[in-house]
Amino acid sequence: MTDLQRLFSELIRYETELWNAVDARLRADFDLPMTRFEPMRVIERVDPCRVHDIARELVITVGGTSKLVDRIEAAGYCVRRSNPDDRRSSIIELTAAGRRVLAEASAVFQEELEVRFGAALSARELEQLGGTLAKLRAKGRTV
């Protein structure tokens, strides 16, 4: 029988190590912490994008997400505009500077993932890992 507590510890510790390594690289190269990079990736991908969309994708609170967007906006990487379909929310868009730094940071992000995943696992193992994590997340949403 698999030691689930050990598996939990390995998974969580790896996630922390991975986050810290990628965060350190993005901070050093772009002064862009992961806490801003990840929401910016969502803003780029979701059109139109609201705070609620970011919170849902990143599995964090709406209040925390709103504060993150405030920081990204203060850095000049995004703007909020009125949502024509819902006066209670805003649409968030990346600025030209935000798109530029996100593109450059995404290339470094990919490099770090290649080093930390691609160098350790085969393409088949990566596919299996991705499928397993997706299955676990899906099951976790129904518990």
Side-chain angles (χ1 to χ4, degrees):
M1 181 167 159
T2 302
D3 181 348
L4 295 177
Q5 291 181 13
R6 179 174 161 76
L7 178 61
F8 173 85
S9 291
E10 289 292 330
L11 182 61
I12 295 302
R13 299 313 168 262
Y14 186 70
E15 185 275 336
T16 302
E17 292 166 359
L18 178 63
W19 180 280
N20 289 342
V22 174
D23 182 66
R25 177 84 189 272
L26 292 177
R27 284 176 186 267
D29 291 5
F30 304 101
D31 192 28
L32 183 67
M34 283 288 290
T35 54
R36 294 184 192 163
F37 176 75
E38 280 288 280
M40 288 173 68
R41 290 179 63 217
V42 176
I43 295 166
E44 177 187 50
R45 196 171 53 251
V46 175
D47 184 33
C49 185
R50 302 165 300 145
V51 166
H52 178 77
D53 300 315
I54 299 167
R56 186 182 63 246
E57 287 231 6
L58 299 182
V59 194
I60 57 178
T61 66
V62 170
T65 303
S66 184
K67 290 176 185 175
L68 287 174
V69 171
D70 289 345
R71 291 181 191 114
I72 296 166
E73 188 173 27
Y77 293 147
C78 77
V79 293
R80 296 180 203 226
R81 63 177 175 81
S82 297
N83 184 345
D85 298 326
D86 181 357
R87 295 158 92 185
R88 297 170 295 163
S89 69
S90 298
I91 301 296
I92 306 159
E93 298 173 334
L94 293 177
T95 62
R99 286 189 301 277
R100 186 173 44 258
V101 76
L102 181 61
E104 293 171 5
S106 292
V108 168
F109 179 63
Q110 183 65 33
E111 286 174 18
E112 285 296 316
L113 296 181
E114 290 290 337
V115 167
R116 296 177 188 288
F117 284 116
L121 301 172
S122 70
R124 184 170 184 265
E125 289 170 322
L126 287 169
E127 191 68 33
Q128 287 174 328
L129 177 61
T132 299
L133 291 172
K135 184 189 254 184
L136 289 168
R137 289 192 69 213
K139 178 62 177 172
R141 287 189 285 269
T142 65
V143 174

